[in-house]
């Protein structure tokens, strides 16, 4: 089992990539601390893991923009499982898609807070515990849009937040490599999730055809890369923006 006895925090775990990751990680032996805003859906994922014999999961709903929530997830991991081996800081939003000049400051600030500031708060809470242990792995869900946007219109705030996440990841990786903590970013392409247009055939077809592979990813495919980065198989990987984008970055570069 790839994650046997590892305790991992997963945010955005109530649906999409986060939910797929939670189920995959549990099947691979992880103990899970699940976070998301939507408490009912989050508890359903935890129950599916616990009642289905997949593993052990605890859930705590909250706002990832809140520093005390980031701290509470870490505290829950320690209280329930005694250690924290990894974190998949996955929660995020696309936000309003319109030209930056037309975007209200409040809308801009919301995207930056949810996607970038929350990553800082998560790392700030997680790193001290991992440093004390002498080991750990942190993965942020960034995006190909923050790596090689290629002029996609209407995504200024999202692109800025995800590019900032990559910069933050690289700085943290440099700061903590000698502490035994690996820190990487996962950069998905278009993925079939509620946020990615699931249920809207026209949107899914349009986005699929942007990819050289002419399809979108299943959430589980993205989760597989996250699992690799959290597992011991990636023991010499840190500071990496890991593209899992069906060739989008090649097309847009």
């Amino acid at each position: 089992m790839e994650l046997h006895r590892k305790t991992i925090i997963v945010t955005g775990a109530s649906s999409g990539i986060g939910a797929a990751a939670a189920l995959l990680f549990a099947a691979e032996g992880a103990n899970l601390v699940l976070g998301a805003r939507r408490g009912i859906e989050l508890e359903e994922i935890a129950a599916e893991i616990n009642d289905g014999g997949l593993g052990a999961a605890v859930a705590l709903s909250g706002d990832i923009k809140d520093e005390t929530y980031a701290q509470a997830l870490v505290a829950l991991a320690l209280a329930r499982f005694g250690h924290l081996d990894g974190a998949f800081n996955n929660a995020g939003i696309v936000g309003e898609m319109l030209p930056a000049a037309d975007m209200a400051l409040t809308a801009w600030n919301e995207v930056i807070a949810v996607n970038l500031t929350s990553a800082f708060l998560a790392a700030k809470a997680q790193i001290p515990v991992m440093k004390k242990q002498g080991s750990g792995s942190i993965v942020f869900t960034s995006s190909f849009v923050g790596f090689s946007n290629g002029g996609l219109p209407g995504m200024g705030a999202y692109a800025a937040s995800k590019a900032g996440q990559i910069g933050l990841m690289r700085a943290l990786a440099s700061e903590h490599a000698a502490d035994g903590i690996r820190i990487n970013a996962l950069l998905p392409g278009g993925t079939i999730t509620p946020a990615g247009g699931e249920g809207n055939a026209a949107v899914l077809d349009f986005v699929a055809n942007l990819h050289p592979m002419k399809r979108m990813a299943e959430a589980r495919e993205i989760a597989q890369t996250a699992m690799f980065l959290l597992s011991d198989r990636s023991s010499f990987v840190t500071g990496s923006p890991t593209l899992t984008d069906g060739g989008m970055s090649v097309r847009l570069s």
Side-chain angles (χ1 to χ4, degrees):
M1 297 180 114
E2 297 288 348
L3 302 175
H4 184 54
R5 293 185 178 177
K6 291 184 182 292
T7 298
I8 297 174
I9 292 171
V10 180
T11 64
S14 61
S15 66
I17 293 170
L23 295 170
L24 176 62
F25 297 173
E28 292 293 336
N31 301 316
L32 296 170
V33 176
L34 307 180
R37 289 177 300 173
R38 299 181 300 167
I40 294 174
E41 292 85 348
L42 191 64
E43 291 288 352
E44 289 174 349
I45 298 295
E48 184 175 349
I49 292 169
N50 292 319
D51 298 344
L54 294 177
V58 291
L60 180 65
S61 60
D63 186 349
I64 59 169
K65 296 179 294 182
D66 183 351
E67 185 170 9
T68 61
Y69 179 56
Q71 295 167 343
L73 289 170
V74 172
L76 181 58
L78 297 178
R80 179 65 176 82
F81 301 113
H83 51 97
L84 176 63
D85 304 292
F88 184 30
N89 298 313
N90 164 74
I93 59 172
V94 175
E96 294 184 9
M97 294 185 63
L98 72 170
D102 298 330
M103 177 174 281
L105 179 59
T106 53
W108 170 274
N109 286 342
E110 178 71 4
V111 174
I112 299 299
V114 172
N115 292 348
L116 180 55
T117 304
S118 72
F120 159 72
L121 295 175
K124 185 179 178 183
Q126 295 156 7
I127 285 172
V129 173
M130 295 180 178
K131 186 174 181 179
K132 185 176 180 179
Q133 295 172 171
S135 64
S137 177
I138 295 173
V139 178
F140 300 111
T141 299
S142 180
S143 171
F144 77 90
V145 177
F147 183 80
S148 57
N149 176 266
L152 291 176
M155 302 194 78
Y158 183 75
S161 68
K162 293 301 187 179
Q165 219 176 53
I166 295 170
L168 173 66
M169 174 274 294
R170 284 174 161 158
L172 293 173
S174 176
E175 290 168 359
H176 296 288
D179 297 323
I181 305 171
R182 298 184 298 101
I183 304 173
N184 295 285
L186 170 57
L187 281 56
T191 307
I192 303 171
T193 66
E198 188 175 37
N200 188 324
V203 170
L204 294 179
D205 185 63
F206 173 78
V207 175
N209 280 293
L210 293 176
H211 293 69
M213 293 181 73
K214 298 304 178 185
R215 69 176 182 88
M216 294 174 68
E218 298 288 341
R220 183 179 173 88
E221 292 179 287
I222 307 302
Q224 291 278 2
T225 300
M227 183 176 70
F228 166 73
L229 293 171
L230 290 163
S231 77
D232 294 338
R233 288 183 182 271
S234 59
S235 58
F236 203 60
V237 179
T238 195
S240 175
T242 306
L243 288 157
T244 309
D245 67 351
M248 280 291 281
S249 57
V250 176
R251 187 184 74 83
L252 294 172
S253 61

